[in-house]
Amino acid sequence: MSLSTLQIHDTQRNTNSVPFDKAPTATSRVQYDDDTERSNDDLRHVFNDHMEVAGHYKTSSFYKQVKCLLISWAEECDDLNTGPEVADLANVLENKMHFKVTRALLVNDVDHLAQIQVAKHIINFIYNEDGARTLLLFYYAGHGSPKSMRGGTPGLALSGKRLHSEDTEDLDDVVWAHIEDNFRHTKADVLEIFDCCYAGNLNDTRQGWGTRSFEFLGACSSGNQTMSPGKESFTSALIWALEALLEDQRRFTVAQLSRKIRSAPDFPRDQVPVQLDRCSNAIERIVLAPLAKTNGNTKALLDDSNDTIDNQGHLTLNFVFDKSPSKSLIGGFAKALDSAMRRHQIPVKRIGWGGFQPPRNKAFHAAAKMFQESVNRKKRKREGDENQQVSSRGPLTPSSSTEQPSPG
């Protein structure tokens, strides 16, 4: 049997409600490369497309607006020279996806520590840009390093230079976990994209944040490094993936973006970006799509006249299938559901795709397969490094490869 979940949103609202008795304490790591996640993406698109065409609901699965804050370091603080790549990314987000982009440069200022600078940028950004049916996208480029948090859990510190001078040891460090508390009361969904080493160290789940979507996409998993700016960098692959997905399908989830990044021509084959669900009670996945642009003004694709109508809860329905549903079956199901809602005049804001789960035995085999692939990948990398070291040794003048990721 297969299980599919729908979330039906009522016409009143309490954004801080937590519908579950007990939230998980560990981050939900998205296995974006497995068959279940791929199937979920395909079926989600089919379902949402039918609901958008119907057009009888008060809000859309499209975001009305997407606001981006790109955080990096000023040239004098940035030994990675991230500026050109950040500018290229801003161009794609602004001119091809029609998102609103704001740049935030962190400077070397003895009177205003970097932690305070970032907090100021974030608070001002949220104050000016937060709203209903909005996605707030936070991007960071620079160095990342492990940071031990309270209780010994791993965390992430951000900096502009790899080594600190003695008198500025605390000047350039930003502890991101302290910044995230500012996202707790936003109306908008939140997406974080980090191009730095140890990005996966952000491994805690934010609990009690209601049912908004809060997702994270990082260049590498916990304890790993990523490449410096250049054709092999995460940001270069991100730009390539965004442009490719815009050309192929226009609408995509963060999981689809993650998979596309891994297939970028120059992205290291042994590097695996990390995707995390940061909010334990989120009921939907973030879907990215370009906004329509008319007469110089960015607009949502559908009417937004009902944004002021709040919702006070949602109803979760589980549908158990006797076989895995096909795209055509889900399309017909969406049409029938829409027809029933209209016929009985049920006051629903929107119906969202909550997720598809395969039978337990299939899920177990899929997880085992992913684990084995991870083990094999690490083994191949270790054997390749050993072979490279052996082949690079001459009888009199030993040498070693310089092709190593620069800590970021």
Side-chain angles (χ1 to χ4, degrees):
M1 293 188 296
S2 303
L3 181 68
S4 182
T5 302
L6 295 181
Q7 307 285 353
I8 302 179
H9 304 252
D10 203 352
T11 55
Q12 299 176 26
R13 169 184 190 160
N14 178 359
T15 57
N16 292 319
S17 63
V18 182
F20 306 111
D21 294 333
K22 185 177 181 181
T25 57
T27 291
S28 174
R29 185 178 297 271
V30 180
Q31 302 294 347
Y32 54 81
D33 247 353
D34 72 10
D35 293 337
T36 300
E37 192 64 37
R38 291 174 185 269
S39 177
N40 250 311
D41 286 333
D42 291 340
L43 297 180
R44 178 184 290 107
H45 285 316
V46 171
F47 185 86
N48 285 346
D49 285 346
H50 279 85
M51 287 300 170
E52 301 299 347
V53 170
H56 301 295
Y57 301 99
K58 295 186 174 79
T59 59
S60 164
S61 63
F62 287 101
Y63 289 112
K64 181 179 67 174
Q65 50 193 358
V66 180
K67 308 297 184 68
C68 309
L69 181 64
L70 311 187
I71 304 170
S72 56
W73 299 84
E75 186 175 355
E76 66 272 14
C77 310
D78 182 12
D79 63 9
L80 289 174
N81 189 30
T82 61
E85 282 193 352
V86 178
D88 290 342
L89 176 61
N91 178 61
V92 172
L93 295 174
E94 197 164 27
N95 296 318
K96 295 188 177 182
M97 302 197 73
H98 311 308
F99 297 167
K100 181 179 178 181
V101 175
T102 302
R103 293 282 303 273
L105 288 178
L106 307 180
V107 300
N108 191 350
D109 185 346
V110 294
D111 295 322
H112 302 93
L113 298 180
Q115 185 82 33
I116 302 300
Q117 294 179 48
V118 173
K120 179 176 181 292
H121 284 302
I122 293 289
I123 292 171
N124 288 340
F125 182 77
I126 292 175
Y127 182 85
N128 293 322
E129 309 294 0
D130 187 30
R133 279 181 56 202
T134 297
L135 175 66
L136 300 181
L137 189 160
F138 298 94
Y139 164 90
Y140 168 75
H143 287 290
S145 57
K147 179 75 173 182
S148 181
M149 305 300 293
R150 182 180 300 177
T153 59
L156 180 66
L158 314 177
S159 61
K161 293 184 178 181
R162 184 176 299 113
L163 299 176
H164 303 301
S165 61
E166 185 175 344
D167 60 344
T168 62
E169 183 174 356
D170 297 323
L171 181 64
D172 293 328
D173 283 347
V174 177
V175 181
W176 187 253
H178 298 164
I179 298 297
E180 281 187 335
D181 285 336
N182 294 292
F183 304 157
R184 180 179 294 274
H185 300 293
T186 64
K187 297 178 182 178
D189 291 342
V190 174
L191 172 61
E192 299 173 335
I193 302 179
F194 276 30
D195 184 0
C196 65
C197 294
Y198 306 99
N201 276 34
L202 281 179
N203 66 351
D204 60 316
T205 297
R206 296 298 184 168
Q207 302 183 41
W209 284 33
T211 56
R212 294 167 301 139
S213 297
F214 182 10
E215 299 184 31
F216 173 83
L217 176 60
C220 55
S221 56
S222 177
N224 289 309
Q225 298 180 348
T226 188
M227 300 299 290
S228 299
K231 65 179 184 178
E232 296 178 300
S233 76
F234 173 79
T235 297
S236 290
L238 171 63
I239 293 170
W240 179 89
L242 287 170
E243 293 179 326
L245 288 168
L246 287 173
E247 183 73 22
D248 294 341
Q249 59 193 66
R250 304 289 288 174
R251 252 177 118 174
F252 47 90
T253 63
V254 180
Q256 289 173 309
L257 178 59
S258 303
R259 289 195 292 269
K260 203 68 174 179
I261 287 171
R262 290 200 65 189
S263 65
D266 297 306
F267 193 67
R269 297 277 77 88
D270 59 349
Q271 183 170 337
V272 182
V274 61
Q275 183 186 346
L276 306 172
D277 284 333
R278 302 298 311 286
C279 185
S280 59
N281 296 317
I283 59 177
E284 289 189 84
R285 288 283 171 80
I286 291 172
V287 177
L288 299 172
L291 300 178
K293 193 170 186 179
T294 307
N295 297 327
N297 296 317
T298 300
K299 296 183 178 181
L301 298 181
L302 295 180
D303 177 58
D304 59 4
S305 59
N306 290 286
D307 283 346
T308 57
I309 301 176
D310 289 338
N311 65 355
Q312 187 106 15
H314 65 275
L315 170 67
T316 299
L317 300 177
N318 293 328
F319 296 85
V320 181
F321 296 88
D322 57 6
K323 62 179 180 179
S324 295
S326 64
K327 292 182 182 180
S328 59
L329 188 151
I330 291 298
F333 178 77
K335 290 180 181 178
L337 184 61
D338 171 67
S339 176
M341 291 291 166
R342 286 187 288 117
R343 185 167 60 251
H344 297 285
Q345 298 182 337
I346 299 176
V348 171
K349 286 188 68 174
R350 61 183 299 261
I351 302 177
W353 181 263
F356 170 75
Q357 298 176 16
R360 288 184 179 274
N361 60 333
K362 287 189 176 180
F364 174 79
H365 289 305
K369 180 181 177 183
M370 290 289 292
F371 176 77
Q372 188 60 52
E373 288 176 349
S374 175
V375 171
N376 291 340
R377 185 165 52 246
K378 291 179 180 179
K379 181 179 179 182
R380 288 194 298 269
K381 184 179 185 300
R382 184 171 62 250
E383 291 174 348
D385 291 343
E386 291 173 353
N387 291 337
Q388 187 178 36
Q389 290 175 3
V390 171
S391 63
S392 65
R393 292 175 188 155
L396 297 177
T397 56
S399 62
S400 61
S401 171
T402 59
E403 287 294 305
Q404 298 290 334
S406 296

